[in-house]
Amino acid sequence: MRLRALLETDALGLRLLGGEDELDRGVRGVMTTDLRDPSRYLSGGELVLTGLAWWRTAADSEPFVRILAGAGVAGLAAGEAELGDIPGDLVEACSRHRLPLFAVNESVAFATITEYVVRQVSGERAGDLAAVVDRHRRLMTSGPAGGGPEVVLDLLGSDLDLRAWVLSPTGRQVAGAGKPLPPAVSAALAGEHLAATRTGRRGPHRATIGGVTYSLFPIRNTGRGAAPASRDVRETVLSDWLLAVEADASDWPAARLDLLQGVTQLIAVERDRREAARTVRRRLAQEVLELVQTGAAPAEIAARLRVAAPVLLPGLGTAPHWQVVVARVDWGQNDAAGAGVAGGGTGTAIEAGPVAQSLLEEILVDPSAAGPDATDRIAVAHSGEEAIALVPLPAVPVDPDAPDAGSTEAELHADALLSSVRDPLSAGLADDGRLTLGVSAAVSSAEGLRGALEEARHARRVAAARPGRVCAAGHHELASHVLLLPFVPDDVRRAFTARLLDPLRDYDRRHRAELIPTLEAFLDCDGSWTRCATRLHLHVNTLRYRVGRIEQLTSRDLSRLEDKLDFFLALRMS
């Protein structure tokens, strides 16, 4: 189809700002993006839709337009919802590069334009397949009258004889037509896709599992609801969906590949819709978390929980129990494995909190659950580098004579949360990422939430001390003294740690003696001189000198259990 046909379609609400002489350009697809540099997703001939979230100053327009023109896109359509009038510098840049520019009225959704273009292009290039796209509006709706992605996947099967599934990054089936994939196959496909994405390969990716060949198409969240523009693939690799098709797409004609790419764009719109639906639950979790962390009165926290419970557990007759889950994703600086190859990264720090938030929301979904309601009971906030989930548990009657009578049968367990997702996530984390997760015990009131939060954080630190890319620890693994630490008054903490550690810190500042790291390593090695010296790469005599200096400065004896315990607690509370 031609750009001129889009301009002449009143329902699309397009207004031409420049490039009248280029309106006979052909359009072979559509892409929505707010990335500063979307070149890796462009193949030429696209109508690019942008909400202008990438625009900050007049200097931003020229490089953006230059990239689009160099990629051979057909035209650019900019939405007026973000900034109102389209910036003049963008109009001028498009004029210099002879790139047709349209303004999109704020009353027109990008999904409407995407729908129209995909339908027209698919109809022209693959007339016999047009029925697949003609009904794709169902992707934008939910409930009995809609059906979501399953409708298009059904049509792929009936019209193209293709079996296809939409999978989350952990391998959970989001949508599928007909018989579901076995969980082991779904997890393996997700792992193959994440590994290929981390190496920077463009989709579709080819994978063979159990003698069956699949083609994996990325479904990227790059629309109006997307995260801020980033060139580092690590910020999205653990949250993007994928379309798995039981076929080898390596020898497909361009028309069929274009059609599948159009399907992934439509599913991306559905993903954006579901992402937006999480906003209320995220806000509830954030409000409760802020109250807990600022030491608000239990009555105030309880009132907020009463608001959250009906949203997360509709129809619940009694107050639920609550668990807290804390997750953190840490990335190394291995450019070869991370940003440098996979995403063209600039070396800037990755904002880990939102990455962990999106990933934790996925992990907390029952791996056997599918459909739009699978995440309706997940409320996750992020604070700094951490993601923190507030998980409601329906009170389940238990046998009072059972050994664990104080718990609830629905309680989350750390190992179970990661059992089905460990392999695919390890592939996505590659050799420079790490996921650690901690789970608290269930609490039945607002008074227990602060302790549950600290407990989950302590459990995550226990997990972080273990080897492996994906590690978790639960409250059952915490020693009793760790459970008490959150309830020690702050002034007592400060006084206790100051008496033991301040002399060592002062000495380290003056002499760079590394007494504090030596003390931590010595205790971690259970007082073993040989193991500690090996860990610190020191001669045993040097280690003995440092430990002797610690004892001299603090008047303590590290051969005594009581003094070891005091130092251990002081380090944990500092």
Side-chain angles (χ1 to χ4, degrees):
M1 68 177 300
R2 305 294 176 184
L3 285 174
R4 190 180 305 278
L6 295 176
L7 187 62
E8 294 171 351
T9 305
D10 294 338
L12 299 183
L14 297 179
R15 181 164 50 89
L16 184 64
L17 299 181
E20 185 174 1
D21 295 337
E22 304 292 332
L23 289 181
D24 286 328
R25 289 187 181 187
V27 179
R28 60 184 299 271
V30 62
M31 177 195 178
T32 301
T33 185
D34 276 318
L35 297 174
R36 291 179 181 274
D37 179 5
S39 58
R40 68 178 182 270
Y41 304 126
L42 298 172
S43 57
E46 298 94 340
L47 172 67
V48 174
L49 306 176
T50 180
L52 295 176
W54 51 267
W55 190 91
R56 292 294 181 270
T57 68
D60 294 333
S61 293
E62 172 63 22
F64 181 77
V65 173
R66 185 170 60 249
I67 289 170
L68 298 188
V73 305
L76 173 65
E80 296 178 322
E82 181 80 12
L83 301 177
D85 292 337
I86 306 303
D89 47 271
L90 179 60
V91 177
E92 294 171 2
C94 287
S95 176
R96 283 193 297 272
H97 290 276
R98 301 181 62 83
L99 181 66
L101 174 63
F102 303 89
V104 182
N105 189 282
E106 63 180 354
S107 65
V108 178
F110 282 3
T112 301
I113 300 173
T114 300
E115 171 191 348
Y116 182 86
V117 172
V118 172
R119 184 173 64 243
Q120 296 300 316
V121 170
S122 298
E124 292 174 7
R125 294 187 177 180
D128 58 324
L129 309 178
V132 176
V133 182
D134 282 340
R135 293 172 58 191
H136 79 274
R137 185 184 297 276
R138 292 178 180 271
L139 278 171
M140 316 305 174
T141 62
S142 59
E150 285 84 357
V151 173
V152 164
L153 299 185
D154 279 333
L155 290 171
L156 286 178
S158 62
D159 290 17
L160 301 182
D161 196 25
L162 291 176
R163 298 179 67 205
W165 303 264
V166 178
L167 304 179
S168 77
T170 65
R172 180 178 64 86
Q173 182 172 308
V174 178
K179 187 177 180 181
L181 283 173
V185 174
S186 296
L189 290 175
E192 292 277 354
H193 171 72
L194 291 172
T197 302
R198 285 303 311 275
T199 61
R201 287 161 47 198
R202 296 186 66 172
H205 309 127
R206 185 175 180 273
T208 301
I209 308 294
V212 179
T213 299
Y214 301 86
S215 295
L216 311 177
F217 294 80
I219 301 173
R220 294 189 172 91
N221 181 21
T222 56
R224 285 182 173 177
S230 167
R231 297 184 64 189
D232 196 321
V233 72
R234 292 176 292 183
E235 295 208 32
T236 60
V237 68
L238 298 178
S239 60
D240 285 341
W241 289 354
L242 67 138
L243 176 67
V245 180
E246 189 179 305
D248 186 350
S250 59
D251 57 353
W252 280 6
R256 179 168 287 204
L257 282 173
D258 286 346
L259 182 65
L260 266 293
Q261 294 292 356
V263 169
T264 65
Q265 292 174 356
L266 299 173
I267 296 174
V269 175
E270 170 69 6
R271 190 203 182 289
D272 291 346
R273 186 187 69 80
R274 296 190 186 184
E275 183 75 9
R278 292 180 174 180
T279 302
V280 173
R281 297 190 294 277
R282 285 175 171 175
R283 185 181 301 121
L284 286 172
Q286 195 72 45
E287 291 174 353
V288 174
L289 174 63
E290 289 174 358
L291 290 174
V292 171
Q293 293 195 126
T294 56
E300 186 178 358
I301 300 174
R304 201 60 57 92
L305 287 176
R306 283 194 294 272
V307 173
V311 175
L312 300 178
L313 287 175
L316 188 68
T318 59
H321 291 76
W322 301 89
Q323 269 183 289
V324 176
V325 183
V326 173
R328 177 168 172 147
V329 176
D330 293 290
W331 298 103
Q333 299 302 316
N334 185 344
D335 287 339
V341 170
T346 59
T348 57
I350 298 174
E351 191 178 358
V355 177
Q357 180 184 43
S358 178
L359 186 55
L360 184 54
E361 285 172 335
E362 176 61 35
I363 289 173
L364 289 173
V365 179
D366 184 340
S368 64
D373 299 327
T375 61
D376 278 357
R377 297 181 178 181
I378 310 301
V380 183
H382 70 84
S383 177
E385 301 293 298
E386 292 180 330
I388 302 169
L390 186 67
V391 183
L393 305 174
V396 179
V398 295
D399 181 359
D401 298 325
D404 58 349
S407 66
T408 167
E409 293 178 10
E411 186 173 327
L412 299 174
H413 294 277
D415 289 339
L417 283 176
L418 296 183
S419 61
S420 62
V421 302
R422 192 182 307 274
D423 289 344
L425 292 185
S426 295
L429 293 163
D431 59 354
D432 64 337
R434 194 149 191 265
L435 167 69
T436 52
L437 184 145
V439 182
S440 78
V443 296
S444 58
S445 65
E447 289 86 346
L449 276 182
R450 181 170 181 266
L453 176 58
E454 291 296 330
E455 186 175 76
R457 282 173 166 161
H458 283 308
R460 193 205 63 79
R461 294 187 191 105
V462 170
R466 296 172 175 169
R469 288 286 164 203
V470 181
C471 297
H475 62 95
H476 298 100
E477 303 176 61
L478 302 182
S480 59
H481 70 273
V482 177
L483 298 179
L484 296 175
L485 291 182
F487 304 102
V488 177
D490 289 342
D491 55 343
V492 175
R493 286 182 185 232
R494 286 192 293 268
F496 181 73
T497 58
R499 280 197 301 270
L500 281 174
L501 302 183
D502 280 1
L504 306 183
R505 291 177 178 138
D506 291 342
Y507 192 87
D508 280 348
R509 258 193 308 271
R510 294 195 308 268
H511 303 284
R512 298 182 180 179
E514 297 188 353
L515 296 185
I516 292 288
T518 299
L519 176 61
E520 290 176 330
F522 187 72
L523 295 175
D524 284 345
C525 293
D526 299 323
S528 168
W529 297 98
T530 302
R531 283 195 289 128
C532 184
T534 301
R535 176 185 292 190
L536 296 175
H537 306 290
L538 298 175
H539 192 278
V540 172
N541 289 342
T542 303
L543 176 61
R544 291 185 183 277
Y545 172 80
R546 288 188 183 180
V547 170
R549 180 63 69 184
I550 292 171
E551 293 174 334
Q552 180 184 20
L553 291 170
T554 59
S555 300
R556 297 298 184 110
D557 182 355
L558 278 168
S559 66
R560 296 178 67 247
L561 176 61
E562 294 87 345
D563 288 341
K564 286 181 182 177
L565 182 58
D566 283 347
F567 277 121
F568 178 82
L569 292 172
L571 289 168
R572 292 301 180 272
M573 289 191 293
S574 63

